[in-house]
Amino acid sequence: MDLDLRKVRYFVAVAEELNFGRAAERLHIAQPVLSRQIRALENELHAQLLVRDSSGTQLTPAGVQLLDDASRLLSGADAARRRVARAARAISTFTVGFMPGLTVSEPVRALGAAHPDLTVEVLRTEWTNQVTVLHDGRADIGYIRMPVDLTGLQTSALFSEPRVAVVPAAHRLAGKEAVSLHDLAGEHLLQHPDAVPEWRSVAKEMRAGQQAAATTQARSVEEKLEHVATGRGFSVLPESTATYYQRPDVVWTPITDIPPSEVRLAWVATRRVPLIAEFVELAQAAVRDA
């Protein structure tokens, strides 16, 4: 039996909420209907996905696996719908995703000049969605900052650059020529720790001593800088991003003990679109000529 994507979306809502009532509200359907749909999905897959008892709702190992697969499955379906809709309207577009601090105008302009009938668009992304926009079809290619999950993607290296610590202008480390992550031990990291995996070892050492620094996750560069400026912690940014978003109440300094930020071009591996290969060549040429 084919997998019903509607039921999969229902399952994802329950798996993320771990509460049938909240999931039903989120989906705008009645809770009994949602329960029936989940049971039907379990019957179709011949596997129990969720366990409900007095302590709440939990995922089974099969449910964990389906949740892991569902993101790419649903994103792929969304991407197909977007591409089919564009084809039906005879709209020829090519969308480039880019992270804050990166300039993409030169290859975007060159691709547009080479294809006058093509509309080349740009889409600003964040750490949390730089890969998602590729899988769900919002972008054809993206400038991504590592490390990210590259499952289902093909990539091409562009360049790397130093990473810096951004702190309040009155911070004890402001004005230093360079710092290490250990100099920041005990401070609050204002972003997802996956963006700075080296921080985990520092936090582990802190736990072995006395207290680990808390982590506040900001969704954008602007949010990070607002938190930094108000003294809530520090952020680790690529040098180009910190330079682009300069402001008088925060300062930045290079970090000596972490590898540089690696920038790559990424696209869905199964797509064999000549425009993607052409854009990769144009972007690499722009980096060489910079």
Side-chain angles (χ1 to χ4, degrees), residues 139-159:
D140 296 285
I141 195 168
Y143 286 71
I144 64 170
R145 289 194 184 275
M146 300 295 293
V148 294
D149 181 2
L150 298 178
T151 302
L153 300 177
Q154 186 171 341
T155 70
S156 176
L158 279 181
F159 63 90

Side-chain angles (χ1 to χ4, degrees), residues 19-286:
N19 183 285
F20 274 77
R22 289 196 300 269
E25 291 179 4
R26 170 173 154 183
L27 294 166
H28 305 291
I29 62 174
Q31 184 173 334
V33 173
L34 177 58
S35 297
R36 287 196 298 271
Q37 292 296 312
I38 296 300
R39 285 196 298 272
L41 179 61
E42 290 177 324
N43 291 334
E44 292 168 9
L45 294 175
H46 304 291
Q48 184 176 6
L49 303 172
L50 298 152
V51 175
R52 301 171 72 179
D53 56 30
S54 58
S55 62
T57 301
Q58 301 296 327
L59 290 169
T60 66
V64 171
Q65 182 62 60
L66 179 57
L67 182 60
D68 184 55
D69 291 334
S71 175
R72 288 185 292 275
L73 179 66
L74 296 176
S75 292
D78 290 339
R81 279 194 290 269
R82 285 189 173 95
R83 289 194 288 268
V84 169
R86 286 200 297 266
R89 298 194 301 269
I91 297 175
S92 184
T93 63
F94 187 86
T95 301
V96 180
F98 68 98
M99 288 284 285
L102 300 177
T103 302
V104 302
S105 54
E106 186 173 340
V108 165
R109 187 165 47 242
L111 187 67
H115 301 273
D117 296 332
L118 178 69
T119 299
V120 185
E121 300 178 343
V122 294
L123 175 66
R124 182 185 186 277
T125 62
E126 301 290 350
W127 170 260
T128 55
N129 71 351
Q130 58 176 332
V131 167
T132 304
V133 299
L134 300 172
H135 287 300
D136 67 17
R138 282 178 285 171
D140 296 285
I141 195 168
Y143 286 71
I144 64 170
R145 289 194 184 275
M146 300 295 293
V148 294
D149 181 2
L150 298 178
T151 302
L153 300 177
Q154 186 171 341
T155 70
S156 176
L158 279 181
F159 63 90
S160 61
E161 59 175 321
R163 287 189 285 174
V164 302
V166 185
V167 298
H171 193 272
R172 59 185 174 83
L173 297 175
K176 295 282 187 179
E177 290 187 5
V179 298
S180 73
L181 276 185
H182 286 81
D183 293 329
L184 294 157
E187 304 269 352
H188 296 260
L189 178 65
L190 297 170
Q191 62 206 101
H192 196 293
D194 285 350
V196 193
E198 300 83 4
W199 180 250
R200 288 194 172 92
S201 63
V202 175
K204 185 177 180 180
E205 291 176 15
M206 288 291 293
R207 283 193 293 272
Q210 48 180 345
Q211 183 178 353
T215 299
T216 301
Q217 295 181 21
R219 292 169 296 180
S220 66
V221 175
E222 292 85 355
E223 285 187 9
K224 292 185 183 80
L225 295 181
E226 287 297 329
H227 287 313
V228 170
T230 54
R232 296 181 181 177
F234 77 101
S235 187
V236 176
L237 296 177
E239 186 176 59
S240 63
T241 306
T243 301
Y244 186 83
Y245 287 91
Q246 287 190 82
R247 47 189 287 175
D249 49 2
V250 302
V251 297
W252 57 265
T253 186
I255 304 176
T256 58
D257 58 348
I258 60 175
S261 170
E262 182 185 2
V263 176
R264 304 183 72 89
L265 284 172
W267 60 96
V268 174
T270 55
R271 297 196 66 199
R272 301 289 185 265
V273 180
L275 285 173
I276 290 177
E278 186 175 348
F279 186 86
V280 171
E281 292 182 3
L282 291 170
Q284 291 174 336

